[in-house]
Amino acid sequence: KNEVEQSPQNLTAQEGEFITINCSYSVGISALHWLQQHPGGGIVSLFMLSSGKKKHGRLIATINIQEKHSSLHITASHPRDSAVYICAVARGSNYKLTFGKGTLLTVNP
Amino acid sequence: DVKVTQSSRYLVKRTGEKVFLECVQDMDHENMFWYRQDPGLGLRLIYFSYDVKMKEKGDIPEGYSVSREKKERFSLILESASTNQTSMYLCASSIRLEQFFGPGTRLTVL
């Protein structure tokens, strides 16, 4: 079993829809990252969080440490949100990350 | 803004060749990483460096070596490239727990 599981693997939405991507992990962590990768592009860090909730524009990330679960929400989705979204966890003071396999999001106009 | 650059976006090499992938960061970060990304497998850590001349194996170090002679530069070396090393290679640097990624090098080994 992978230490970091994401769901769904693929997600297709219509423009304007509210989107949720889930991440579950099985180990104790010091921080969780949400990353975005556009086709052919590099990876951009969206959020790093260790508790609670963070918001940036239309993106919201939440984490429940007790349940070992995080969600990434996109409100009013747009075709430019189409990308792979990757969840990654950091353990202790170790800077190494363990990655989920990613969720491919396609937002149709 | 932090900038992490990689020497090539696309690279085609032949089986058995020695391949160098270079990564440079401009923010004086101590930690640098090399990953490969494959469909269905996600990102996997090849090697990690936490200081000049210091390195640590990641999850899949076989067939790779690294060099870090200067703080800003971290090189990944494929001693004898093989077709199963065809992949996207991503470099990252970090301060504390946040990592900054380069644009990636898509390597094809024929």
Side-chain angles (χ1 to χ4, degrees), chain B residues 31-83:
Chain B
N31 305 308
M32 295 187 75
F33 308 80
W34 274 108
Y35 299 98
R36 64 177 283 176
Q37 185 180 31
D38 300 289
L41 296 176
L43 279 144
R44 293 178 291 167
L45 179 65
I46 305 171
Y47 265 99
F48 160 53
S49 170
Y50 49 92
D51 204 346
V52 175
K53 296 190 188 296
M54 305 304 285
K55 62 186 179 186
E56 189 174 307
K57 291 180 181 178
D59 300 317
I60 49 164
E62 296 79 18
Y64 303 94
S65 61
V66 290
S67 171
R68 191 153 180 217
E69 297 296 319
K70 293 185 178 181
K71 195 173 186 180
E72 68 270 19
R73 189 179 297 267
F74 190 34
S75 301
L76 179 70
I77 303 151
L78 286 66
E79 295 289 342
S80 176
S82 63
T83 54

Side-chain angles (χ1 to χ4, degrees), chain A residues 61-78:
Chain A
T62 64
I63 188 168
N64 184 319
I65 297 294
Q66 285 73 28
E67 294 187 3
K68 293 186 167 61
H69 182 268
S70 175
S71 293
L72 176 68
H73 305 286
I74 304 175
T75 61
S77 60
H78 190 275

Side-chain angles (χ1 to χ4, degrees), chain A residues 33 37 40 95-96 99 101, chain B residues 9 37 56 96-97 99:
Chain A
H33 300 251
Q37 184 177 32
Y95 296 111
K96 293 188 283 188
F99 296 85
K101 293 184 180 178
Chain B
R9 290 300 304 271
Q37 185 180 31
E56 189 174 307
R96 294 184 288 277
L97 291 174
Q99 291 197 15

Side-chain angles (χ1 to χ4, degrees), chain A:
Chain A
K1 187 180 186 299
N2 292 329
E3 290 183 345
V4 182
E5 297 277 357
Q6 283 186 240
S7 63
Q9 285 188 318
N10 293 281
L11 181 57
T12 300
Q14 288 301 120
E15 184 173 356
E17 285 185 6
F18 181 84
I19 286 161
T20 296
I21 299 170
N22 296 299
C23 176
S24 296
Y25 52 93
S26 57
V27 296
I29 67 168
S30 52
L32 183 142
H33 300 251
W34 281 103
L35 309 168
Q36 180 192 56
Q37 184 177 32
H38 283 284
I43 293 174
V44 173
S45 178
L46 298 174
F47 295 102
M48 182 177 67
L49 63 166
S50 54
S51 64
K53 177 179 174 179
K54 286 190 176 181
K55 184 176 190 291
H56 185 250
R58 295 180 295 106
L59 274 61
I60 303 166
T62 64
I63 188 168
N64 184 319
I65 297 294
Q66 285 73 28
E67 294 187 3
K68 293 186 167 61
H69 182 268
S70 175
S71 293
L72 176 68
H73 305 286
I74 304 175
T75 61
S77 60
H78 190 275
R80 65 174 174 265
D81 296 326
S82 298
V84 175
Y85 292 85
I86 302 168
C87 171
V89 300
R91 301 176 64 180
S93 59
N94 190 326
Y95 296 111
K96 293 188 283 188
L97 297 179
T98 301
F99 296 85
K101 293 184 180 178
T103 295
L104 175 60
L105 171 65
T106 303
V107 182
N108 294 317

